Amino acid sequence: MAVTIKDIAEKVGVSVTTISRVLNNRGYLSDDLKKKVHEAMEEMNYQPNELARSLSRKKSNVIGLIIPDISHPFFGQITKHIEYYAYKHGYKLMLCNSLLNKKKEKEYIDLLRASQVDGIIMGSHTMSVKEYTSIKLPLVTLDRQISKSIPCISSDNYSGGVLATKLLLSKKCRKIAYLSGNLRLNLLAKQRHDAFIEQVSGKDVGFVVKQTDLNGFKYKEYENLVRELFEEHPDIDGVFASSDILALQVIKECRRLGKAVPEHVKVVGYDGIQIGGTDDLSTVEQPVKKMGELAVKYLLRQIAGEDMPLETILPVKLLEKGTT
Amino acid sequence: MAVTIKDIAEKVGVSVTTISRVLNNRGYLSDDLKKKVHEAMEEMNYQPNELARSLSRKKSNVIGLIIPDISHPFFGQITKHIEYYAYKHGYKLMLCNSLLNKKKEKEYIDLLRASQVDGIIMGSHTMSVKEYTSIKLPLVTLDRQISKSIPCISSDNYSGGVLATKLLLSKKCRKIAYLSGNLRLNLLAKQRHDAFIEQVSGKDVGFVVKQTDLNGFKYKEYENLVRELFEEHPDIDGVFASSDILALQVIKECRRLGKAVPEHVKVVGYDGIQIGGTDDLSTVEQPVKKMGELAVKYLLRQIAGEDMPLETILPVKLLEKGTT
DNA sequence: TTGAAAGCGCTAACAA
DNA sequence: TTGTTAGCGCTTTCAA
């Protein structure tokens, strides 16, 4: 059996309360006593039981993170930053991959609640608004606005859409495609689409929109999507892909078809993930780090009962590189 | 205050013991009673407190996962599979990103122990062997052999190295480079290097080895590494990169230098991550899914007190694609 | 088939 | 400055 606060108390010859006090550095304690207690802890290799502490305090210092797929670079990166800030503030992270599966997402929410997490960061969204508002737990959503009453951290998808489209227009593209992967992945991404439509409408350019709304992230599907695009519209000379991963597929397909990028086809991606191979890609960069930081920050504020902005829209940045 | 087992007990008019029994489906219970209890739970929206259960049972059903960097695609993918299997078996995942920082890794191990996790999957390794063997918690390491006494799941790095090198040799490369990123990232990856050396030695081909042992994953560093390689050895016509990410950098640099791939330079990567852009890359595929599955499986066995193989080396597969 | 009661390890009012 | 004591919400012997 592991050594407990009681063992330390006996060893030092004081009450458990006192040990608890030095553990939490609360109340008045003589330096001498503190030292003795710490020595005893050291000696007996004591580790406080966080479960017991959490139960008693009614605070676990754990936050749940629900995302669609940790293996997707965008979520991988944002998770990295979320973990960083959470750790910095003494919080642990419980990772939940929903795979955009409604049942699993729901089960995870219950599981997180049962596990007494102090709050949840939601980067997945498959359920109805009502279900979310009934979660009754500090909550912050990432890049998807569920309801006006739930704080949401996102980047400026609309501007991003404008920037990307304008870039292609300024490069004299004559027929532009908007390509998007799984829509449910990111509802706010719809704004990119809207921005695209607004920008190309009424101008003397052709345009096509192609999206897939498949479940999960099948890169194979992306490949088909791109292939179809060029088969149906061989005269495309500009592509706005709603993720860098998708943009890479486009570039690959162009290579296969012998279309030079950017000479014949200009490509602009979205996300700004810094994975090898994307660094020459023109793209709209989302402030992943800031998004992760604020998600944690606002969640912690909410946990602390303080208030925070309900809507945070961070600026995006156009990175013009070699593919346009 | 949330509703507890006690509230349910009062409502149904039985003792908490009985409620606990139906919760765990243990002992003799009349169907009628079960039904009434479940109804009451439903009605009062009862959620068992996992913290209390864990404390009492001395089992948390949480496993800790320590990896260097979740944003690295290889770890992102393996984490995805680990989460999948863990969830399937009723375990939650606590995500710990060590960033290859020794202090953080150590703190996380203590934190995990304090949090009473049932076991740890270690994909990061910065401390000394002694420190690991003193963890005294069910442990499985991923792709890095720490000690003979700690179960390790890895893929066959040696064979992978042989396969990749042989591929380049069979394609008549005259001067081959072995390129590796952070060594500490994966100590077993050294075997790829060894295999490379063995294969090229004594043959009529030139070879260079270039590695960086920097901390963290700076893609910028990768870029420099690759650039240097070609500056110092412009006559390189084959590259074995120890990760797909690195291989993508090589391909990009070749494009920049006007060297055609695979005509002038043949490139083979490692990992087999299916990120857009890598699907035309010749590479050695690691069985990520199987690795994640076995890591969880063997950890759970250990937790259950059963035994499991101490060394598991899974086969890798050469994927010959367009870059060789 | 059910209940009483003693924990699990720690916290926190209240008292001293 | 320190201790007593009653929980936190659940599990689990032991007894009925």
Side-chain angles (χ1 to χ4, degrees):
Chain A
M1 183 92 74
V3 15
T4 76
I5 213 180
K6 202 173 153 197
D7 302 316
I8 306 288
E10 277 168 10
K11 169 132 188 165
V12 182
V14 292
S15 75
V16 291
T17 314
T18 305
I19 306 299
S20 172
R21 283 214 185 84
V22 355
L23 210 52
N24 298 289
N25 208 15
R26 231 193 288 285
Y28 320 96
L29 304 158
S30 73
D31 285 355
D32 183 52
L33 189 134
K34 273 195 208 173
K35 202 173 137 225
K36 269 206 290 209
V37 171
H38 280 129
E39 275 169 11
M41 285 176 171
E42 194 79 16
E43 199 176 320
M44 304 184 72
N45 204 350
Y46 170 75
Q47 294 266 155
N49 183 326
E50 286 296 331
L51 246 39
R53 298 181 107 175
S54 300
L55 179 62
S56 177
R57 288 192 184 133
K58 296 180 160 305
K59 179 150 188 337
S60 64
N61 274 45
V62 173
I63 66 189
L65 173 64
I66 305 186
I67 51 174
D69 183 357
I70 188 65
S71 76
H72 187 288
F74 177 73
F75 289 107
Q77 294 199 182
I78 204 155
T79 298
K80 169 185 178 160
H81 294 116
I82 288 175
E83 185 275 347
Y84 182 83
Y85 286 101
Y87 182 78
K88 203 169 149 185
H89 293 285
Y91 280 80
K92 288 150 279 173
L93 208 59
M94 201 154 260
L95 180 68
C96 313
N97 233 21
S98 76
L99 298 175
L100 295 177
N101 176 328
K102 188 166 172 166
K103 178 159 167 282
K104 192 172 180 192
E105 185 179 318
K106 201 160 169 37
E107 285 176 358
Y108 253 137
I109 290 175
D110 286 341
L111 202 54
L112 288 177
R113 196 207 321 278
S115 302
Q116 312 299 116
V117 300
D118 294 334
I120 299 181
I121 296 176
M122 246 0 260
S124 179
H125 174 194
T126 64
M127 312 188 313
S128 72
V129 172
K130 214 181 93 221
E131 291 174 291
Y132 288 100
T133 45
S134 71
I135 288 184
K136 306 257 179 274
L137 216 54
L139 194 64
V140 167
T141 67
L142 215 53
D143 221 25
R144 56 210 65 211
Q145 185 136 36
I146 291 173
S147 121
K148 285 287 175 201
S149 63
I150 302 174
C152 169
I153 314 287
S154 67
S155 63
D156 193 341
N157 286 277
Y158 184 82
S159 295
V162 171
L163 286 171
T165 314
K166 280 200 166 160
L167 175 62
L168 294 176
L169 289 173
S170 77
K171 297 290 179 176
K172 310 280 180 239
C173 291
R174 304 299 309 150
K175 181 163 179 186
I176 309 182
Y178 173 81
L179 215 51
S180 104
N182 197 310
L183 245 193
R184 289 200 292 154
L185 238 183
N186 183 343
L187 298 187
L188 283 180
K190 184 157 184 337
Q191 298 181 1
R192 301 176 198 163
H193 166 267
D194 296 346
F196 169 77
I197 297 294
E198 279 187 38
Q199 290 299 313
V200 291
S201 295
K203 295 218 174 63
D204 186 24
V205 286
F207 65 92
V208 241
V209 167
K210 210 160 171 63
Q211 357 202 6
T212 160
D213 193 15
L214 294 159
N215 226 327
F217 300 78
K218 302 273 187 291
Y219 293 122
K220 201 68 193 167
E221 301 295 345
Y222 281 7
E223 192 174 334
N224 294 337
L225 185 74
V226 174
R227 191 157 292 190
E228 273 172 39
L229 174 73
F230 284 106
E231 274 166 11
E232 294 163 11
H233 307 276
D235 53 335
I236 290 278
D237 61 356
V239 179
F240 172 14
S242 75
S243 82
D244 289 343
I245 300 288
L246 207 41
L248 288 179
Q249 284 292 346
V250 173
I251 292 171
K252 206 201 70 189
E253 179 68 5
C254 285
R255 199 156 49 229
R256 202 182 66 89
L257 296 173
K259 292 172 184 279
V261 175
E263 293 78 8
H264 299 157
V265 180
K266 310 209 188 306
V267 182
V268 51
Y270 209 100
D271 283 346
I273 56 171
Q274 297 298 321
I275 291 293
T278 64
D279 45 359
D280 195 42
L281 178 68
S282 292
T283 192
V284 176
E285 185 186 51
Q286 297 200 65
V288 213
K289 186 174 172 191
K290 194 79 191 169
M291 289 170 78
E293 177 178 358
L294 287 185
V296 174
K297 192 169 174 183
Y298 291 167
L299 185 65
L300 296 194
R301 279 211 197 149
Q302 213 178 134
I303 291 171
E306 303 162 9
D307 53 21
M308 74 265 112
L310 284 179
E311 191 173 21
T312 307
I313 300 179
L314 299 167
V316 294
K317 205 165 108 192
L318 180 69
L319 299 183
E320 203 179 332
K321 299 284 187 63
T323 60
T324 44
Chain B
M1 184 91 77
V3 14
T4 75
I5 212 179
K6 204 175 151 194
D7 302 315
I8 306 288
E10 278 168 10
K11 170 130 186 166
V12 181
V14 292
S15 74
V16 292
T17 314
T18 306
I19 306 298
S20 172
R21 282 213 186 85
V22 355
L23 210 52
N24 299 287
N25 207 15
R26 230 193 288 285
Y28 319 95
L29 305 158
S30 72
D31 285 354
D32 183 51
L33 189 134
K34 275 196 206 171
K35 201 173 138 225
K36 270 206 289 208
V37 171
H38 281 128
E39 275 170 11
M41 286 176 171
E42 194 78 17
E43 200 176 321
M44 304 184 75
N45 205 349
Y46 168 76
Q47 294 266 155
N49 182 325
E50 285 297 330
L51 248 37
R53 298 182 107 175
S54 301
L55 179 61
S56 177
R57 290 192 184 134
K58 299 180 159 303
K59 178 145 188 341
S60 64
N61 274 47
V62 173
I63 66 188
L65 173 64
I66 306 186
I67 51 173
D69 183 357
I70 187 67
S71 77
H72 186 289
F74 177 73
F75 289 107
Q77 294 199 183
I78 203 156
T79 298
K80 168 185 178 162
H81 294 117
I82 288 175
E83 185 275 348
Y84 181 82
Y85 286 102
Y87 182 79
K88 203 168 148 186
H89 293 285
Y91 280 78
K92 290 150 274 174
L93 209 59
M94 201 154 260
L95 180 68
C96 313
N97 232 20
S98 75
L99 297 175
L100 294 178
N101 176 327
K102 188 166 172 165
K103 180 160 165 283
K104 193 172 178 193
E105 186 179 317
K106 202 164 168 34
E107 285 175 359
Y108 253 137
I109 289 175
D110 286 342
L111 201 55
L112 288 177
R113 197 206 319 277
S115 301
Q116 313 299 117
V117 299
D118 294 335
I120 299 181
I121 296 176
M122 258 339 273
S124 179
H125 174 194
T126 64
M127 314 188 311
S128 71
V129 172
K130 214 180 93 221
E131 291 174 290
Y132 288 98
T133 45
S134 71
I135 287 183
K136 306 257 178 275
L137 215 56
L139 193 65
V140 166
T141 68
L142 215 53
D143 221 23
R144 55 211 67 212
Q145 185 136 35
I146 291 173
S147 119
K148 286 285 175 200
S149 64
I150 302 174
C152 168
I153 313 287
S154 67
S155 64
D156 194 342
N157 286 277
Y158 184 82
S159 295
V162 171
L163 286 172
T165 315
K166 281 200 166 161
L167 175 63
L168 294 175
L169 288 172
S170 77
K171 297 289 179 179
K172 310 280 179 239
C173 292
R174 304 300 309 152
K175 183 164 177 185
I176 308 181
Y178 174 80
L179 216 52
S180 105
N182 195 309
L183 245 194
R184 288 201 293 153
L185 239 183
N186 183 344
L187 299 187
L188 283 182
K190 184 158 184 334
Q191 299 180 0
R192 301 176 199 164
H193 165 267
D194 297 345
F196 170 76
I197 297 294
E198 280 187 37
Q199 290 299 314
V200 291
S201 296
K203 296 220 171 62
D204 185 25
V205 285
F207 64 91
V208 241
V209 167
K210 211 159 172 63
Q211 359 203 5
T212 160
D213 194 14
L214 294 159
N215 227 327
F217 300 78
K218 301 274 186 289
Y219 294 122
K220 202 69 192 165
E221 302 294 347
Y222 280 8
E223 192 172 335
N224 294 337
L225 185 75
V226 174
R227 192 157 292 190
E228 273 172 38
L229 174 73
F230 283 105
E231 274 165 13
E232 293 163 11
H233 306 277
D235 53 336
I236 289 278
D237 61 356
V239 180
F240 173 14
S242 74
S243 82
D244 289 342
I245 301 290
L246 205 42
L248 288 179
Q249 284 292 345
V250 172
I251 292 170
K252 206 200 72 192
E253 179 69 6
C254 286
R255 198 154 51 228
R256 202 183 66 89
L257 295 173
K259 291 172 185 278
V261 175
E263 293 77 9
H264 300 157
V265 181
K266 309 207 188 309
V267 183
V268 52
Y270 209 99
D271 284 346
I273 57 172
Q274 297 298 321
I275 291 294
T278 63
D279 45 0
D280 195 41
L281 178 67
S282 291
T283 191
V284 175
E285 185 185 50
Q286 298 200 63
V288 214
K289 186 172 172 193
K290 194 77 190 169
M291 289 170 78
E293 177 179 357
L294 288 185
V296 174
K297 191 168 174 183
Y298 291 167
L299 186 65
L300 296 195
R301 278 210 197 150
Q302 213 177 136
I303 291 172
E306 303 163 8
D307 54 20
M308 74 263 112
L310 285 178
E311 191 173 21
T312 307
I313 300 179
L314 300 167
V316 295
K317 205 166 109 195
L318 180 69
L319 300 182
E320 202 178 333
K321 301 282 187 66
T323 60
T324 43

